[in-house]
């Protein structure tokens, strides 16, 4: 398998964790999102993924995009350890947590959105940073309240086993800390991410451990 990845991409971070947890062998193909305007915009990469986004997983000549879809594919192809729980209600819960991050929080702070704010709308760097922190802090605070209300978390998002929810939470908290967001309103999420980052699969997936890390 080949994983087209950028070391700082939180979406690629999610997939790297899943691959490590599954013990799946893969080759990292770095796609630098900043250098020279962005490798993701090169014709050679756009032919692979017309959306010009990472991650992309190639397996057996087939191309898969979207981090959560890739993770669910890996979960079906490599069933152990399972990243989705066995019952429908628990599956819906962990998916809702993961989707809250992947669909509600992360897209507002993706590189192409931030570039549009600065290049096209002429937003200042200070305003761009305020935008980023606002949506991350608000989104994580809302997710924290949802999870506390559900009462299903333990060591991890669902009890004491790692699920797809934790694969979304940890990179987002990692990114929020890098951007110096105020995480006081998300103590449960912070604690989950800290526990995850003690596990080997998460440690090896973190940005600093990647071959293209700067």
């Amino acid at each position: 398998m080949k994983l087209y990845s950028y070391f700082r991409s939180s979406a690629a971070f999610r997939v790297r964790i899943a691959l490590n947890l599954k013990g799946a062998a893969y080759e990292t193909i770095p796609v630098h999102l900043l250098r020279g305007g962005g490798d993701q915009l090169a014709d050679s990469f756009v032919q692979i993924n017309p959306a010009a986004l990472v991650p992309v997983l190639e397996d057996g000549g087939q191309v898969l995009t979207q981090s959560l879809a890739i993770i669910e594919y890996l979960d079906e192809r490599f069933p152990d350890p399972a990243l989705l729980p066995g019952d429908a209600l628990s599956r819906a819960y962990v998916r809702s947590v993961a989707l809250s991050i992947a669909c509600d929080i992360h897209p507002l702070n993706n590189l192409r959105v931030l570039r549009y704010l600065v290049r096209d709308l002429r937003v200042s760097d200070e305003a761009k940073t305020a935008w980023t922190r606002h949506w991350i802090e608000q989104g994580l605070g809302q997710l924290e309240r949802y999870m506390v209300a559900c009462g299903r978390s333990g060591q991890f998002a669902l009890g004491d086993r790692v699920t797809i929810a934790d694969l979304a939470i940890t990179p987002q908290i990692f990114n929020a800390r890098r951007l110096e967001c105020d995480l006081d309103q998300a103590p449960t999420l912070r604690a989950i991410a800290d526990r995850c980052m003690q596990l080997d699969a998460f440690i090896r997936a973190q940005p600093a451990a990647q071959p293209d890390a700067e």
Side-chain angles (χ1 to χ4, degrees):
M1 287 188 289
K2 294 181 181 180
L3 177 66
Y4 293 82
S5 172
Y6 177 57
F7 75 105
R8 277 207 188 113
S9 165
S10 58
F13 192 170
R14 299 169 200 151
V15 174
R16 295 194 300 260
I17 297 167
L19 286 162
N20 291 344
L21 286 168
K22 299 295 186 179
Y26 68 98
E27 175 187 2
T28 298
I29 309 296
V31 180
H32 201 294
L33 302 186
L34 298 175
R35 185 175 53 217
D39 294 346
Q40 75 277 19
L41 302 177
D43 289 343
S44 57
F45 185 75
V46 172
Q47 289 177 7
I48 297 169
N49 184 10
L53 296 170
V54 296
V56 173
L57 184 72
E58 278 191 14
D59 188 16
Q62 299 298 308
V63 173
L64 301 173
T65 66
Q66 295 296 332
S67 62
L68 298 187
I70 294 171
I71 291 169
E72 292 212 22
Y73 166 75
L74 292 171
D75 205 42
E76 293 180 14
R77 187 162 186 261
F78 305 99
D80 187 37
L83 298 175
L84 287 166
D87 65 285
L89 187 61
S90 294
R91 286 197 301 275
Y93 167 71
V94 297
R95 282 175 172 141
S96 72
V97 173
L99 288 166
S100 292
I101 291 170
C103 297
D104 294 340
I105 301 173
H106 179 238
L108 286 166
N109 301 287
N110 207 340
L111 176 61
R112 60 181 179 176
V113 172
L114 299 181
R115 277 182 169 171
Y116 183 76
L117 287 174
V118 173
R119 294 180 180 180
D120 295 78
L121 301 184
R122 305 298 181 186
V123 169
S124 68
D125 285 340
E126 293 78 10
K128 181 191 73 172
T129 299
W131 164 284
T132 301
R133 289 173 178 163
H134 169 78
W135 293 115
I136 292 175
E137 290 167 5
Q138 182 185 91
L140 290 177
Q142 291 168 340
L143 180 57
E144 171 84 15
R145 291 191 291 276
Y146 168 73
M147 290 177 60
V148 170
C150 289
R152 307 200 68 181
S153 63
Q155 294 293 306
F156 304 106
L158 180 67
D160 296 329
R161 55 169 290 191
V162 171
T163 68
I164 193 171
D166 305 295
L167 275 60
I169 290 169
T170 304
Q172 186 61 66
I173 292 294
F174 195 97
N175 194 43
R177 285 171 166 158
R178 183 176 66 84
L179 296 169
E180 300 181 345
C181 294
D182 181 356
L183 297 177
D184 286 348
Q185 59 184 333
T188 304
L189 295 169
R190 291 196 330 261
I192 288 169
D194 289 343
R195 292 186 194 103
C196 286
M197 286 307 302
Q198 296 175 24
L199 303 177
D200 179 69
F202 287 77
I203 293 169
R204 289 189 290 116
Q206 67 180 312
Q210 303 316 300
D212 57 328
E214 297 175 351

